[in-house]
Amino acid sequence: GQRPPREASAERIREMEQMIETYIRKRQLQLAELALESLLEVHFTHPKRGDYEQWIGLLRQELEQDRQAEQALEAGRAAIEAGVFKTARKHLAEVEKHDREGELAPAFRKELETAERDQRQTADQEQHRERFEALLTQGQLDAAEKEIEQLAELGATRVALDLLRNRLDEARGDVR
């Protein structure tokens, strides 16, 4: 017949316990599961079996939560790249829900707010550029100059501002 598995020495069992605990501390789920499986092969009624199974179960839940937070973060960043901020905000809520350490959500919120601010600033600059063009065409040069000042306040590049000033100067030359 078949012989029952050989009992492991007390020292070997202590080593296996330490391995399980180390793998759990290092958040190495598969290795912790394998180490527990090995321990139970040689000591099926181990007194800490329930504890180890519970700790491994908690680790599995934490890792799944971390994975969901990371997935939501990636999807949120993709939404920001696409300029779909409403969707990015939904993903932010998911990141917040699954962010156990509370580190991912604040950083992502900042990324999203920066992207939204940048988009608004770009839209504002575009509006002032269009107004500048219209005013220049209509010969309202003082008003056109105010649009250049607005663009400067909004952080338009020096090169862009110089180009607009040159065009304004040319238009003023045509008027004189």
Side-chain angles (χ1 to χ4, degrees):
Q2 213 174 1
R3 289 198 337 242
R6 188 166 56 78
E7 282 293 313
S9 70
E11 183 183 341
R12 179 71 183 124
I13 287 175
R14 268 194 308 281
E15 288 173 6
M16 295 171 105
E17 291 169 348
Q18 287 174 341
M19 282 174 43
I20 293 168
E21 291 169 21
T22 299
Y23 291 142
I24 289 171
R25 244 190 334 276
K26 291 183 174 180
R27 303 175 56 76
Q28 296 173 313
L29 180 63
Q30 277 107 357
L31 292 174
E33 289 172 330
L34 288 171
L36 177 58
E37 196 177 300
S38 297
L39 174 66
L40 296 179
E41 283 176 12
V42 296
H43 195 307
F44 189 72
T45 58
H46 190 281
K48 282 187 162 182
R49 176 187 185 157
D51 289 341
Y52 291 146
E53 289 172 341
Q54 187 178 7
W55 295 343
I56 287 172
L58 288 171
L59 176 58
R60 185 180 296 108
Q61 288 174 350
E62 287 177 4
L63 292 173
E64 176 59 21
Q65 202 169 342
D66 292 349
R67 188 189 64 73
Q68 289 175 337
E70 288 291 335
Q71 273 186 331
L73 181 64
E74 287 175 30
R77 285 185 172 143
I80 288 174
E81 281 295 310
V84 188
F85 297 121
K86 187 175 182 182
T87 301
R89 286 231 167 255
K90 287 179 184 171
H91 290 297
L92 172 60
E94 279 297 301
V95 172
E96 289 170 334
K97 178 179 165 186
H98 297 293
D99 184 11
R100 293 179 314 101
E101 303 292 324
E103 294 171 1
L104 295 176
F108 181 56
R109 175 184 306 286
K110 198 171 190 176
E111 284 176 46
L112 178 55
E113 288 169 352
T114 299
E116 288 172 327
R117 185 177 52 250
D118 290 351
Q119 187 191 47
R120 278 192 305 275
Q121 198 170 4
T122 301
D124 288 349
Q125 286 182 9
E126 192 54 40
Q127 230 177 0
H128 286 289
R129 256 188 229 96
E130 288 171 6
R131 236 179 284 149
F132 170 83
E133 295 296 337
L135 292 167
L136 196 65
T137 303
Q138 297 164 6
Q140 298 179 31
L141 304 184
D142 290 341
E145 187 171 15
K146 285 190 179 14
E147 293 302 320
I148 294 174
E149 291 166 15
Q150 289 291 317
L151 283 163
E153 286 177 29
L154 289 171
T157 65
R158 185 183 195 113
V159 172
L161 294 171
D162 286 348
L163 285 171
L164 296 177
R165 285 189 187 106
N166 289 342
R167 292 188 51 215
L168 183 62
D169 290 343
E170 287 172 13
R172 284 201 166 117
D174 292 344
V175 171
R176 287 183 194 131

